[in-house]
Amino acid sequence: MRFNTVILILLVSLPLYAQKGNIGLSSQKMSIVNTDNEKVSVLLELAKTDSEHTYGLMYRERIPDDSGMLFVFENDGYRNFWMKNTKIPLSIAYIDSKGKILEIYDMKPMDISVTYPSKYACRYALEVNKGWFRKHKIRP
């Protein structure tokens, strides 16, 4: 059976791995069901406050494979991300309140001339290493 949508499932809270500037963020291990109906695990730092949303993954030299940052918003809305002071090539997924991935974009590091607005109202944004979604057969 093939699925056209991808669902995020919260699994368990885990301690955060230390990263410059974001020490203290909570993290969660999550699974995403890919197009082959396989669960793909990822360790995500959770950005919940406005200041955490603003800082995001800026100034990092790298993030481990199969990890990233989940931006959690209080309500559904149109989001807009950019790569100011972000050294890592990233991919971003905009996700609705039910966990469905609506759209995915690849983002170029340190490029402030381009923004990545969501086309649909969403509740979450997930940033991972560029190409991570493609590698794991995850699509909107």
Side-chain angles (χ1 to χ4, degrees):
M1 177 184 230
R2 295 184 68 98
F3 288 88
N4 292 328
T5 60
V6 179
I7 305 296
L8 289 175
I9 304 168
L10 291 174
L11 292 178
V12 62
S13 290
L14 297 173
L16 173 68
Y17 49 89
Q19 293 285 344
K20 177 184 174 187
N22 284 329
I23 294 173
L25 288 181
S26 61
S27 65
Q28 295 243 281
K29 183 103 174 185
M30 301 180 106
S31 287
I32 301 174
V33 179
N34 70 12
T35 56
D36 291 338
N37 199 28
E38 301 166 333
K39 288 184 181 179
V40 179
S41 293
V42 60
L43 178 62
L44 298 174
E45 293 179 61
L46 303 179
K48 298 177 185 177
T49 67
D50 287 342
S51 64
E52 291 168 350
H53 294 161
T54 300
Y55 199 85
L57 292 170
M58 288 194 306
Y59 305 107
R60 308 268 182 110
E61 297 295 328
R62 62 177 290 282
I63 56 173
D65 293 339
D66 296 322
S67 67
M69 183 171 282
L70 182 68
F71 295 81
V72 180
F73 299 96
E74 290 184 19
N75 52 33
D76 293 344
Y78 292 88
R79 311 296 174 198
N80 194 10
F81 280 66
W82 67 340
M83 295 292 283
K84 180 179 181 182
N85 299 318
T86 306
K87 300 175 181 181
I88 308 162
L90 298 172
S91 294
I92 189 168
Y94 291 113
I95 304 165
D96 72 12
S97 59
K98 295 180 181 175
K100 180 180 173 184
I101 293 178
L102 304 172
E103 47 196 315
I104 297 172
Y105 299 101
D106 288 336
M107 303 189 294
K108 185 177 175 185
M110 303 297 285
D111 186 356
I112 60 172
S113 68
V114 177
T115 62
Y116 302 90
S118 63
K119 293 178 186 173
Y120 309 99
C122 59
R123 178 73 54 96
Y124 309 99
L126 171 57
E127 290 183 339
V128 292
N129 286 308
K130 185 177 178 181
W132 188 89
F133 295 109
R134 195 169 27 262
K135 174 183 174 184
H136 293 287
K137 301 178 186 176
I138 296 168
R139 298 188 307 244

